[in-house]
Amino acid sequence: MKPLKYLIAIGVFTTVSSFAQQKATIKSKADTFLSSSKMHDFVDQLMSKMTLEEKIGQLNLLTGGEAITGETKNTDLENKIKKGEIGGFFSLTSPQKIQKVQKLAVNNSRLKIPLIFGMDVIHGYKTGFPIPLALSASWDTIMIKKTAEIAALEATADGINWAFSPMVDITRDPRWGRMSEGSGEDPFLGSAIAKVMVQGYQGKDLSAHYTMMACVKHFALYGAAEAGRDYNSVDMSKNRMYNEYLPPYKAAVDAGVGSIMTSFNDINGVPATANHWLLTDLLRNQWGFDGMVVTDYTAVNELMAHGLGDLQAVSAMSLHAGVDMDMVGEGFLTTLKKSYTEGKVSMQDIDRACRMVLEAKYKLGLFDDPYRYCNVERAKTEIFTPQNVNFAREAATKTFVLLKNQQQLLPLKKSGTIALIGPLADSKLNMTGTWAVSTDNFKNISVKQGLENAVGNAAKILYAKGSNLVADSVYQSRATMFGKAIPYDSRPEKEQIEEALAIAKKSDVIVAAMGESAEMSGESSSRSNIQIPAVQRRLLAALLETGKPLVLLVFNGRALDLSWENQHIPAILDVWFGGTEAGNAIADVLFGKVNPSGKLTVTFPQNVGQVPIYYNHKNTGRPLEEGKWFTKFKSNYLDVSNDPLYPFGYGLSYTTFEISKPELNRNVMYAGGKIEVTVQVKNTGNRNGEETVQLYIRDMVGSITRPVKELKGFKKLFLRAGETQTVTFTLTEDDLKFYNEDLEFVAESGAFKVFVGDSSTNLKETDFTLEK
């Protein structure tokens, strides 16, 4: 027992410390209130001077033309700026250009209101990081946050202060091309990533010259488009929305995101951009969002194609629903004045939207200094620095997922002759993946260059393309847009394969770089066939016949059907699209400089007929017995098992790990209480490596049907060969909560299972009870 004097001292210290923390919290809230009050007063005074036309002008977001994602472009920009008819621009870069445009607004418009400048800063700026789906596969939120910080640093050095990121749409359908831009299928992991991305972009001070306003998108449910076809309808119960699809958006709002972008889809018959329940009742009234709502590219105009009326009608509808800024379409600019005079929109709605835009500019510090992001010296010294490029390389290595490694074929030795074959083997333009609009792809490192850098004179690299991306030249041109060209080889397929076989026969090992091109995923890039293109598979089959060891590098922006490859290829490494340093990062992992540690965040199906497929499904009333393929009158298929090809959370390493059965510090959780879940994790192999320990729960009895598993915790840790570490998770009552039939967020008493392991299927379990 400790001496009484020691205990009293500890008690006094704790009380003083607690009092100091409370004081700091109170001061922080007071400062926030005063800052908010000052902002409101400033905006009130400014708006009192504004004409109706000037207020409407603030709601108009136009494109500078550097990255067009729709059919519409804007004209007569200089005149509109001077007349106060533009609130902001996107797709315009460099401090010089932005300063020039900003001067037009500040020096020539009546009230000198500065413009806001946005850009699709999705996974890096000039320094390209792996695509967001790949970043999520790292399960490393600290690293992911740093990629957003670096992107913000570079983008703000180039004059931009608003990022149209992060995309947090949950998706379970790999036919949808924009799976590449999100964080996968799980709401818990998706929420954790949404939070750190917002924090990375915005930092602690949104007015700092190196931070930028984030824009969470696409609100909402865009990833659930029917048939995986982009822009398609979504029909979903509110129960599923609240429990499975909305949490990442809510996490971004709770993290203080400054803006939200509407989605293109309709939701239960009402398009998101005109959905008052979504944009006002839910977002502002239930969640307390106090930022700006912007549409996606011409989304207001597209309400006409949805069948909701002419441009005047749909513009009024969007404004009333809760939209503050109209991107590109100029429906607000050209119709709202008329609608106001006809009593079809209120001044209250116009003022609300104008206030949100002005407050965003205030928070960014643009009224204090309109040119705070126009420092030419920063652009010279803070963009594409060696430090940023090195971090991009490190980040990429953490995203690769080792899917198969038969007889420990990997890592390769830096010796002998290596045949590098495939349409993506020497395609530096495709290494950054989709939505890398600001990256200089000519600076990317291809696989060929990366391998040559790694081996130097120690090994010989022989290269052949071997096949086209796809057999159809028209399809290949569609799949290699936006400067991501892969030249089409018009020679007969047989001749191309023979060329590849000639170098394969001279080699000790074959590395095949195959899969999708960068623009085979992303916006408007849905696929009904999610296999590696047939022409590439025929090349793979021919290479296998040589009998040489074969490693497949898979490039992809979605989950693929790799059943044939899994059956025939001895080693498969999913490298996604790794960014600027993709080639060097791939070489780091291929040759064992870095031990792969990525884990899948989307389920890979055995075939497209299983789609949508995801780990946290419901049990049904007729579940198939575990370990069975088919039982009549059970929930299963005649022609394929229910199992995925590769499950959520799966990923191999060059070493092996053992995770013990979870132990609980108590078997009963009481209301407001918690339970600690502890496991021992041992590196049982002969290499150092990282393992991601995953914790799942199952609510065994609920007032509504509950998933068979739900991720509720994960920890990534580094272990030296032979090392054991203790990992402890804390489960609280909040972790057990869900939205019930009445959309009440509750935890219900009863039995729970808790699982811990290295994927959603390789788990050890125990149980506990919640008593309230």
Side-chain angles (χ1 to χ4, degrees):
M1 180 177 288
K2 292 182 172 60
L4 180 60
K5 183 187 291 186
Y6 177 85
L7 293 175
I8 290 172
I10 289 293
V12 169
F13 175 78
T14 302
T15 303
V16 170
S17 175
S18 176
F19 178 71
Q21 288 174 356
Q22 289 176 10
K23 225 175 141 184
T25 301
I26 292 168
K27 184 179 184 303
S28 176
K29 288 182 177 179
D31 289 345
T32 300
F33 174 79
L34 289 172
S35 175
S36 179
S37 177
K38 185 179 177 183
M39 176 180 68
H40 288 159
D41 289 345
F42 176 88
V43 172
D44 282 344
Q45 291 178 24
L46 179 57
M47 287 181 63
S48 70
K49 304 171 187 175
M50 296 175 74
T51 64
L52 173 62
E53 292 84 357
E54 287 169 332
K55 290 177 180 178
I56 292 171
Q58 287 300 305
L59 318 186
N60 193 23
L61 176 65
L62 301 188
T63 175
E66 292 182 14
I68 305 298
T69 61
E71 296 178 356
T72 303
K73 298 180 183 180
N74 300 119
T75 59
D76 194 24
L77 302 179
E78 183 172 336
N79 188 47
K80 288 173 182 174
I81 293 170
K82 291 177 178 178
K83 291 166 63 178
E85 293 182 350
I86 299 176
F89 274 95
F90 74 99
S91 189
L92 185 69
T93 61
S94 90
Q96 295 90 340
K97 289 181 186 177
I98 288 174
Q99 186 175 53
K100 183 178 179 181
V101 174
Q102 191 72 288
K103 280 183 177 179
L104 285 174
V106 174
N107 295 342
N108 295 279
S109 66
R110 188 177 73 90
L111 293 175
K112 308 184 184 307
I113 299 173
L115 300 166
I116 188 172
F117 293 90
M119 176 61 80
D120 285 288
V121 182
I122 308 300
H123 51 106
Y125 185 62
K126 294 297 183 183
T127 303
F129 293 107
I131 59 171
L133 181 61
L135 288 174
S136 73
S138 72
W139 295 64
D140 188 335
T141 54
I142 295 172
M143 182 267 283
I144 293 170
K145 181 180 179 182
K146 188 172 179 181
T147 67
E149 290 173 344
I150 292 173
L153 180 71
E154 291 194 350
T156 56
D158 218 20
I160 300 158
N161 44 51
W162 186 15
F164 300 147
S165 174
M167 192 196 99
V168 302
D169 304 318
I170 295 296
T171 186
R172 297 160 169 177
D173 192 334
R175 294 173 297 180
W176 191 55
R178 303 195 82 166
M179 176 177 273
S180 59
E181 298 173 54
S183 298
E185 70 188 45
D186 181 70
F188 182 88
L189 178 61
S191 296
I193 293 174
K195 176 183 176 180
V196 298
M197 287 291 286
V198 170
Q199 292 172 340
Y201 287 128
Q202 296 190 169
K204 295 180 179 179
D205 180 5
L206 196 52
S207 67
H209 67 270
Y210 53 85
T211 62
M212 63 197 312
M213 186 167 67
C215 183
V216 69
K217 63 184 189 183
H218 305 86
F219 195 61
L221 318 181
Y222 189 31
E226 287 182 359
R229 184 159 49 83
D230 212 353
Y231 318 124
N232 208 359
S233 298
V234 173
D235 200 300
M236 184 184 294
S237 71
K238 286 189 177 178
N239 185 276
R240 171 163 277 187
M241 285 185 206
Y242 276 72
N243 283 311
E244 301 169 32
Y245 281 80
L246 291 178
Y249 306 109
K250 176 67 161 53
V253 170
D254 290 344
V257 70
S259 63
I260 283 184
M261 183 183 291
T262 64
S263 56
F264 288 116
N265 53 286
D266 68 285
I267 299 170
N268 299 340
V270 183
T273 303
N275 197 314
H276 189 276
W277 171 81
L278 181 73
L279 303 180
T280 297
D281 297 344
L282 175 66
L283 180 61
R284 295 202 186 275
N285 297 341
Q286 291 185 36
W287 291 359
F289 177 67
D290 63 355
M292 178 172 64
V293 175
V294 63
T295 74
D296 209 330
Y297 203 105
T298 64
V300 171
N301 308 60
E302 291 167 26
L303 296 175
M304 294 187 285
H306 277 287
L308 298 190
D310 61 18
L311 186 58
Q312 181 182 352
V314 298
S315 297
M317 198 178 300
S318 299
L319 179 73
H320 179 67
V323 169
D324 302 315
M325 213 168 195
D326 172 17
M327 184 188 287
V328 176
E330 299 191 90
F332 281 12
L333 182 70
T334 59
T335 71
L336 286 187
K337 181 179 179 181
K338 186 171 186 286
S339 292
Y340 174 72
T341 60
E342 294 174 353
K344 295 176 180 176
V345 299
S346 68
M347 184 57 72
Q348 182 180 0
D349 281 338
I350 292 172
D351 281 349
R352 178 218 74 229
C354 182
R355 174 177 290 279
M356 291 298 100
V357 175
L358 295 175
E359 286 189 359
K361 294 177 180 183
Y362 185 97
K363 292 171 186 175
L364 287 165
L366 291 172
F367 287 107
D368 289 332
D369 179 7
Y371 310 108
R372 69 191 310 119
Y373 302 97
C374 298
N375 186 329
V376 176
E377 293 307 310
R378 283 192 64 210
K380 294 177 182 176
T381 60
E382 297 181 12
I383 295 175
F384 206 75
T385 64
Q387 296 91 334
N388 294 352
V389 172
N390 288 338
F391 185 74
R393 178 175 180 169
E394 178 187 345
T397 64
K398 290 177 176 288
T399 68
F400 302 154
V401 182
L402 184 60
L403 298 174
K404 185 179 179 182
N405 195 19
Q406 192 174 303
Q407 297 180 338
Q408 298 297 299
L409 176 55
L410 290 175
L412 300 178
K413 295 177 181 178
K414 293 182 182 179
S415 61
T417 301
I418 300 168
L420 176 61
I421 296 169
L424 291 158
D426 193 25
S427 181
K428 64 167 61 181
L429 300 179
N430 279 269
M431 293 299 98
T432 46
T434 189
W435 275 117
V437 298
S438 301
T439 306
D440 183 351
N441 288 316
F442 289 98
K443 294 181 179 178
N444 296 344
I445 305 297
S446 69
V447 180
K448 180 173 179 287
Q449 185 179 348
L451 267 59
E452 289 171 345
N453 292 343
V455 302
N457 296 321
K460 189 175 183 180
I461 306 292
L462 302 178
Y463 163 73
K465 185 178 174 185
S467 78
N468 285 306
L469 179 72
V470 291
D472 181 356
S473 61
V474 177
Y475 183 2
Q476 180 154 321
S477 67
R478 289 200 301 263
T480 54
M481 300 173 71
F482 306 126
K484 311 287 178 61
I486 298 175
Y488 187 82
D489 191 336
S490 58
R491 292 180 300 162
E493 181 182 329
K494 183 180 179 182
E495 185 177 336
Q496 297 177 58
I497 290 177
E498 287 175 350
E499 186 176 73
L501 291 176
I503 70 160
K505 290 172 183 176
K506 299 176 184 175
S507 70
D508 300 302
V509 64
I510 302 168
V511 175
M514 299 187 183
E516 297 185 308
S517 61
E519 295 304 326
M520 285 178 79
S521 63
E523 186 170 355
S524 191
S525 295
S526 298
R527 295 182 63 197
S528 63
N529 181 338
I530 57 171
Q531 297 174 332
I532 286 179
V535 67
Q536 296 184 51
R537 184 176 286 178
R538 290 192 290 272
L539 172 59
L540 271 176
L543 294 174
L544 279 170
E545 290 179 4
T546 66
K548 299 293 178 75
L550 177 58
V551 177
L552 174 61
L553 303 176
V554 179
F555 289 84
N556 53 314
R558 52 163 56 83
L560 294 175
D561 168 5
L562 297 174
S563 296
W564 184 90
E565 290 77 8
N566 185 65
Q567 184 179 350
H568 295 95
I569 309 298
I572 305 174
L573 182 68
D574 193 329
V575 296
W576 314 104
F577 293 99
T580 297
E581 285 289 295
N584 285 331
I586 288 168
D588 287 342
V589 172
L590 278 180
F591 294 113
K593 181 179 179 182
V594 176
N595 193 342
S597 62
K599 301 274 189 177
L600 297 178
T601 58
V602 287
T603 301
F604 278 46
Q606 294 185 63
N607 62 50
V608 74
Q610 290 181 306
V611 170
I613 183 170
Y614 46 96
Y615 86 91
N616 50 347
H617 58 83
K618 302 294 182 68
N619 199 47
T620 83
R622 294 188 176 188
L624 183 67
E625 300 95 325
E626 192 170 344
K628 290 272 186 87
W629 173 340
F630 176 81
T631 301
K632 194 64 177 176
F633 307 119
K634 296 292 186 178
S635 181
N636 47 217
Y637 300 99
L638 286 168
D639 58 347
V640 68
S641 73
N642 288 354
D643 298 327
L645 179 64
Y646 304 121
F648 176 87
Y650 171 81
L652 303 175
S653 169
Y654 294 157
T655 188
T656 53
F657 299 95
E658 183 178 297
I659 302 174
S660 68
K661 181 178 178 178
E663 296 183 357
L664 309 181
N665 67 333
R666 57 177 60 87
N667 294 318
V668 177
M669 181 190 295
Y670 297 100
K674 61 184 180 181
I675 284 179
E676 290 185 351
V677 183
T678 301
V679 293
Q680 304 298 316
V681 184
K682 183 176 182 180
N683 183 340
T684 55
N686 55 12
R687 287 177 176 269
N688 301 339
E690 289 183 292
E691 177 64 295
T692 300
V693 185
Q694 302 158 42
L695 179 144
Y696 300 82
I697 66 166
R698 182 176 181 183
D699 188 347
M700 300 304 295
V701 179
S703 57
I704 60 172
T705 57
R706 305 290 293 122
V708 296
K709 292 186 191 79
E710 294 177 279
L711 181 71
K712 291 296 179 180
F714 59 91
K715 291 189 179 180
K716 189 165 188 173
L717 57 153
F718 174 84
L719 293 99
R720 298 188 179 281
E723 182 184 2
T724 299
Q725 288 188 28
T726 300
V727 175
T728 299
F729 298 94
T730 300
L731 280 174
T732 69
E733 185 181 352
D734 282 345
D735 293 315
L736 313 184
K737 289 181 177 179
F738 64 96
Y739 290 92
N740 65 15
E741 187 177 13
D742 298 319
L743 299 182
E744 299 165 327
F745 195 49
V746 298
E748 296 176 343
S749 297
F752 288 81
K753 285 187 176 181
V754 59
F755 312 84
V756 181
D758 62 8
S759 77
S760 60
T761 57
N762 187 30
L763 300 162
K764 295 173 182 175
E765 67 180 75
T766 186
D767 49 56
F768 67 93
T769 303
L770 173 65
E771 293 184 6
K772 297 177 70 177

